[in-house]
Amino acid sequence: MNKVEARQKEIQQAEELLFAGPQALGFAKGLFQGHFVSNWVMPYPRIPATQQAESDRTLVELRQFLDEHLDPAEIDRQADIPRDVIDGLGRVGVLGATAPVEYGGRGFTQMVNCKLLEEIGHRCASTSVFVNAHHSIGIRALLLFGTHEQKQRWLPKLSTGEQLGAFALTEREAGSDAANVQMQARPTQDGSHFILNGEKRYITNAGIAQVLTVMARTPMPGSDKTAITAFLVTPDMPGFTILEARMPKMGIRGTATGRFSLRDVKVPKENILGPMGKGLKVALTVLDFGRTTFGACCTGAAKTCLRLATEHANTRKQFNKTLGEFDLVKKKIARIAAGAYAMEAMTTITASLIDRGLEDYMIETAMLKVFTTERLWEIINDAFQIYGGSAYFVDLPLERMLRDARINQIGEGSNEVLTSFIALVGMRGPGMEFKEIYDTVMKPSRDRISKAWAAGMNRLGAAIRVPDVPVRSEQLRANARQLGRLIWRFNFAVNRALITYREPILDMQLVQERIADAAMDLFASTCVLSRWDAELQFARRNGDSASADHSAADLFLRQSFRRIRGFLGGLTDNDDKSLLAAAKSVLGKPRS
Ligand SMILES: Cc1cc2nc3c(=O)[nH]c(=O)nc-3n(C[C@H](O)[C@H](O)[C@H](O)COP(=O)(O)OP(=O)(O)OC[C@H]3O[C@@H](n4cnc5c(N)ncnc54)[C@H](O)[C@@H]3O)c2cc1C
């Protein structure tokens, strides 16, 4: 197969995997087409009234439990989360928060689930990653794709934490390249079982889980091809071996990250989750949920940084002044406050998209994951700097938080891979419209002309119309207009990039990065504006419109708008050629 054919095959496989026919236009896809699809993001979502009281009760119970029983420093020192903590989380309902009540869960929405995870993320990243591995991804395939019988059999014990779950995708050859899973699953002659062989590594909870969702490659009936299928595997199956239960590591030390092998492990076909051969789709959908709670955990940690940084800046004195009196410290504190405000808004809106039944939210969850994990890293760095030397010593939270946060940019889809994904999946919509127009010009036909006309009108409409951003508060109108104009500029930049580079844009990651960065800031700004608008409306209804302080939201919008202009400007004014040449000269050098 030559290079062009290989590329066409890759594109076709990605199309089959990611796009499933016509769907309602989501916010992110709309953004890439120059539209502001306001009903997904405005008004700012609220927890449904039916869940509010129970969610409040659970949050209070969770806080009390964590205050009394969770010792993050000890978890880090011992590299273990004590069983009584896990049992307590199960009792409070965190380990089956979104599982339906009929299977022993709490039936909470993703928004409520995110509030619970934010609360844990405030205190201990080991514990939040453990809960994510169990609930956000470990049992997610069962929740989303399991049959009634499978749910009835497995979920009750998993929902209470009596049994723990894990999600096993990663292998030596399948890290970022998740489609390259090598673990084999061969059907037995009578078709009643599959025989699994291979190894998985870096799997959170591998050594402590009783139920693992394992991705393995199965033959496709009637062809010589193979495809990935999801299986439920239990460690009591003969041939299941834990090679390393707890790989020693830099951060989130309380989690048990392990390696295991399967040697001729016989798994009944009843343990298949979702359709045969659709395991990659299952895995990607599961990870979408994980990325939402990632946002919540990062938000919790960011709020802790804000509290720690403020406390220190208000009490530590140098040069006869508190640190908070120096502008360079103020700058960091303000940046942390703005970031934390945006992270919470973005998490809430993204979770609500899932709850409200948007079919395709993969760009939004990817944006949330990249944005919140990058922002948290900067926020921890800022808080660390404010503490100076004292942050550097072990057992103070910031040293642990810094170590813990580093995994976020790598796990559940590395930020580089997701950045590329955001740009390419986002640009697909306008790209298809341009292709329709181009193909019609090259080879006109009656059928094509009408489709190309519709595509052309849509592109033209977006090119001439600045989208309306419908805020309710008068004082936010100027910000809303600025956001609308930036979306218009973004659409113009996306169109220009597609027309200029055409198919080679698929490999131009520096261009993709600027487009994805601009899209992420547009989404973040939208969420901030929506939240701010809702808070102003709420204050007005309660008659205290003057009191609310929104300086962090205001700062976020100003800085975000400036960044967006910078990203879009960078598409034409950059050092890409020089950068690529410098990298090439180094990468091409023989080792000395
Ligand atoms: C503590 C921990 C817990 C984990 N828990 C789980 C779990 O529970 N279940 C599970 O299945 N996995 C888990 N993982 C695995 C994790 O998801 C992978 O580490 C991650 O997907 C990256 O894969 P990799 O480590 O092989 O890095 P690689 O894929 O080798 O990537 C290395 C670097 O290259 C970059 N890169 C790769 N491809 C591209 C590209 N196309 N363009 C630009 N840059 C690229 C990456 O961004 C990264 O910076 C865990 C990992 C860790 C460290």
Side-chain angles (χ1 to χ4, degrees):
M1 197 186 302
N2 66 32
K3 231 173 137 181
V4 176
E5 285 167 345
R7 167 47 56 113
Q8 288 304 333
K9 190 164 168 245
E10 261 175 45
I11 294 173
Q12 191 201 337
Q13 283 170 348
E15 286 280 328
E16 285 169 11
L17 181 66
L18 298 172
F19 307 105
Q23 291 169 335
L25 187 63
F27 181 77
K29 285 192 175 161
L31 206 56
F32 276 89
Q33 302 206 15
H35 304 309
F36 187 84
V37 190
S38 61
N39 57 335
W40 290 117
V41 288
M42 288 176 175
Y44 192 64
R46 299 179 62 175
I47 289 171
T50 47
Q51 296 214 331
Q52 188 70 61
E54 202 190 338
S55 125
D56 288 348
R57 238 188 341 267
T58 308
L59 259 176
V60 169
E61 211 183 321
L62 176 63
R63 274 189 203 121
Q64 193 180 343
F65 172 76
L66 297 175
D67 283 345
E68 287 168 11
H69 300 278
L70 190 81
D71 182 347
E74 185 63 4
I75 285 176
D76 183 57
R77 269 194 300 272
Q78 299 301 327
D80 189 22
I81 301 172
R83 186 67 223 190
D84 66 306
V85 170
I86 296 175
D87 291 342
L89 292 170
R91 272 194 309 279
V92 173
V94 169
L95 299 180
T98 62
V101 176
E102 61 174 309
Y103 304 117
R106 301 295 288 270
F108 281 138
T109 59
Q110 191 64 359
M111 263 173 82
V112 176
N113 189 31
C114 281
K115 283 283 152 216
L116 300 174
L117 261 302
E118 183 190 312
E119 195 56 45
I120 303 173
H122 263 305
R123 303 154 191 256
C124 178
S126 283
T127 308
S128 61
V129 171
F130 155 76
V131 175
N132 261 344
H134 164 80
H135 178 263
S136 286
I137 58 174
I139 65 172
R140 183 61 54 186
L142 183 57
L143 285 170
L144 291 173
F145 299 97
T147 60
H148 172 63
E149 288 71 30
Q150 287 172 327
K151 289 181 186 169
Q152 217 169 24
R153 175 168 173 211
W154 302 99
L155 274 178
K157 287 186 177 171
L158 286 164
S159 296
T160 56
E162 190 180 334
Q163 291 194 334
L164 297 175
F167 174 79
L169 172 63
T170 304
E171 302 174 8
R172 197 166 67 92
E173 304 302 334
S176 299
D177 188 1
N180 198 31
V181 162
Q182 299 297 310
M183 180 169 274
Q184 300 294 321
R186 200 171 25 83
T188 53
Q189 280 225 310
D190 63 2
S192 64
H193 288 75
F194 282 76
I195 308 296
L196 270 62
N197 277 289
E199 281 185 18
K200 296 281 178 188
R201 69 174 186 180
Y202 306 164
I203 307 303
T204 309
N205 294 355
I208 57 173
Q210 287 74 33
V211 184
L212 296 94
T213 303
V214 174
M215 301 296 157
R217 196 163 277 288
T218 45
M220 292 305 288
S223 93
D224 56 355
K225 293 194 179 116
T226 57
I228 298 170
T229 298
F231 291 88
L232 283 174
V233 172
T234 57
D236 56 359
M237 291 174 171
F240 182 107
T241 309
I242 291 289
L243 301 172
E244 203 174 352
R246 288 177 184 273
M247 302 169 76
K249 57 190 189 292
M250 168 186 175
I252 54 165
R253 286 187 181 157
T255 60
T257 317
R259 297 191 295 128
F260 66 89
S261 71
L262 303 183
R263 295 279 168 258
D264 293 330
V265 172
K266 209 171 162 190
V267 181
K269 72 174 185 341
E270 289 74 28
N271 286 22
I272 289 179
L273 286 173
M276 271 276 290
K278 296 289 178 200
L280 200 52
K281 177 82 184 164
V282 170
L284 295 183
T285 312
V286 163
L287 290 171
D288 275 335
F289 276 77
R291 287 172 194 144
T292 326
T293 39
F294 239 91
C297 300
C298 290
T299 302
K303 287 183 176 177
T304 299
C305 287
L306 183 60
R307 178 179 56 76
L308 292 172
T310 312
E311 276 167 17
H312 195 68
N314 276 333
T315 49
R316 165 87 173 149
K317 281 192 169 176
Q318 288 290 277
F319 306 99
N320 279 328
K321 288 180 174 179
T322 58
L323 296 181
E325 290 177 75
F326 297 105
D327 285 356
L328 290 179
V329 174
K330 285 182 191 158
K331 177 179 164 185
K332 294 181 181 61
I333 298 267
R335 209 161 42 189
I336 298 173
Y341 186 93
M343 288 160 78
E344 183 175 351
M346 221 170 160
T347 302
T348 303
I349 286 190
T350 308
S352 81
L353 299 179
I354 296 179
D355 295 338
R356 291 170 58 204
L358 177 64
E359 286 168 279
D360 178 359
Y361 37 78
M362 58 188 167
I363 306 182
E364 287 87 348
T365 54
M367 292 201 287
L368 175 70
K369 195 269 178 178
V370 176
F371 186 88
T372 53
T373 57
E374 293 292 342
R375 202 44 46 96
L376 178 62
W377 185 243
E378 290 163 9
I379 284 175
I380 292 182
N381 195 40
D382 275 345
F384 203 96
Q385 191 67 15
I386 291 171
Y387 271 74
S390 64
Y392 207 75
F393 294 93
V394 291
D395 258 19
L396 277 176
L398 283 166
E399 180 270 343
R400 172 171 46 81
M401 289 178 75
L402 187 88
R403 282 189 285 108
D404 287 348
R406 192 59 187 85
I407 181 59
N408 296 337
Q409 289 139 305
I410 298 168
E412 293 194 23
S414 78
N415 286 7
E416 287 75 14
V417 171
L418 288 178
T419 295
S420 211
F421 175 88
I422 291 161
L424 292 180
V425 177
M427 285 192 290
R428 177 182 176 270
M432 297 289 276
E433 290 183 338
F434 281 124
K435 186 170 181 306
E436 200 73 64
I437 299 165
Y438 177 81
D439 288 350
T440 309
V441 172
M442 300 311 278
K443 252 191 192 175
S445 76
R446 188 182 290 269
D447 178 45
R448 269 199 174 139
I449 285 172
S450 68
K451 281 192 191 157
W453 175 257
M457 290 316 284
N458 197 24
R459 288 295 79 228
L460 185 67
I464 55 177
R465 207 180 315 116
V466 174
D468 179 41
V469 177
V471 288
R472 287 167 298 172
S473 313
E474 186 58 40
Q475 79 182 79
L476 297 182
R477 295 270 146 80
N479 279 318
R481 274 195 298 277
Q482 270 204 66
L483 180 59
R485 277 198 297 276
L486 284 170
I487 293 171
W488 179 84
R489 273 186 67 182
F490 174 69
N491 172 61
F492 184 80
V494 166
N495 289 349
R496 188 170 55 193
L498 283 166
I499 292 168
T500 310
Y501 303 118
R502 309 241 316 257
E503 201 169 299
I505 203 171
L506 294 174
D507 293 316
M508 301 174 75
Q509 290 193 332
L510 300 177
V511 174
Q512 294 164 16
E513 182 179 43
R514 294 188 185 96
I515 287 173
D517 282 344
M520 280 186 271
D521 256 309
L522 287 170
F523 183 40
S525 286
T526 299
C527 297
V528 165
L529 201 57
S530 174
R531 178 178 171 188
W532 187 358
D533 194 24
E535 287 168 354
L536 287 174
Q537 293 299 311
F538 183 75
R540 202 170 62 102
R541 275 197 302 277
N542 290 321
D544 62 348
S545 49
S547 69
D549 173 6
H550 282 102
S551 45
D554 180 63
L555 176 67
F556 184 85
L557 289 186
R558 285 171 184 277
Q559 296 195 327
S560 180
F561 291 168
R562 195 181 302 281
R563 280 195 297 269
I564 294 165
R565 287 193 289 271
F567 296 136
L568 298 182
L571 284 166
T572 46
D573 179 15
N574 58 58
D575 306 316
D576 290 0
K577 272 198 185 125
S578 169
L579 179 152
L580 293 173
K584 187 175 170 199
S585 94
V586 178
L587 287 165
K589 262 189 197 153
R591 267 193 262 167
S592 54

